Amino acid sequence: MTAWVERGNSLLSWSGELLFFAVICWGAGARGLFAALNAGPSVRTNVGVTALATAFVALVVLLLTVGRLVYPVFEIQLSVEVLALVVSSMYGALHLAFLGFAVAAVALGWSTRAGLGGRAVGIVAAVAFVVGSFPWLTPSWWSSLVAVLIAAWGVFLALATETRTKNPNSAREGMSAPV
């Protein structure tokens, strides 16, 4: 395990740095999304926001664990047992984050009122996120692909919201009552 951390040190370092900005961007994006929607009280919206908040907390835990693997704090060397705990915590946090994004994808597919296309995109994204939530069972390229899919899903939500808010009459078509 020590050799794995040493071999992947530069990739883990870059991942940690990018993850920091991803958390900031997703947080700001989620806030902007719900402000643009004038999201009222809805079970779907509450579930989506709670799932996103859970994913953000898990990403922060992931950020801390990756940072601890890469940067020696006060030159403290980790024992093999502690290193195993940190790595397993890293994968646990990644699992939780992807599951949070999966729940948010389904819930927000309905609460953004992006129509049937938005709901389908949410379900497909959720399936990819669930499969990606098992990084110890899937190849590393799949985890990278899921990270790109999370970004693409976020862009889709932003674009779907932007087009719906520019033409308020089209946002009312095909809407169901809030749950």
Side-chain angles (χ1 to χ4, degrees):
M1 192 164 301
T2 305
W4 176 80
V5 171
E6 288 173 4
R7 269 194 325 267
N9 197 335
S10 64
L11 288 175
L12 287 169
S13 177
W14 275 103
S15 297
E17 299 302 324
L18 291 174
L19 184 58
F20 170 77
F21 291 108
V23 170
I24 300 299
C25 291
W26 261 103
R31 171 69 175 100
L33 174 70
F34 291 105
L37 288 173
N38 295 324
S42 157
V43 172
R44 293 181 300 243
T45 302
N46 290 338
V47 168
V49 169
T50 302
L52 278 179
T54 302
F56 295 157
V57 170
L59 288 177
V60 169
V61 170
L62 179 62
L63 181 59
L64 290 171
T65 57
V66 168
R68 182 55 190 102
L69 286 175
V70 174
Y71 304 109
V73 178
F74 295 115
E75 300 301 321
I76 298 171
Q77 297 300 316
L78 300 179
S79 68
V80 175
E81 293 82 16
V82 172
L83 188 59
L85 176 63
V86 172
V87 170
S88 63
S89 296
M90 180 180 76
Y91 279 106
L94 186 60
H95 177 72
L96 179 61
F98 282 164
L99 290 179
F101 279 119
V103 171
V106 172
L108 296 179
W110 268 261
S111 66
T112 59
R113 296 174 174 96
L116 276 169
R119 293 173 183 173
V121 167
I123 290 170
V124 169
V127 168
F129 301 160
V130 167
V131 173
S133 73
F134 297 96
W136 58 91
L137 298 176
T138 57
S140 57
W141 63 265
W142 179 256
S143 295
S144 299
L145 178 64
V146 172
V148 170
L149 289 174
I150 288 174
W153 172 68
V155 170
F156 172 80
L157 281 179
L159 292 175
T161 302
E162 181 65 21
T163 57
R164 293 290 182 183
T165 55
K166 280 188 177 180
N167 187 356
N169 292 333
S170 68
R172 301 258 181 240
E173 296 171 6
M175 275 189 336
S176 58
V179 173

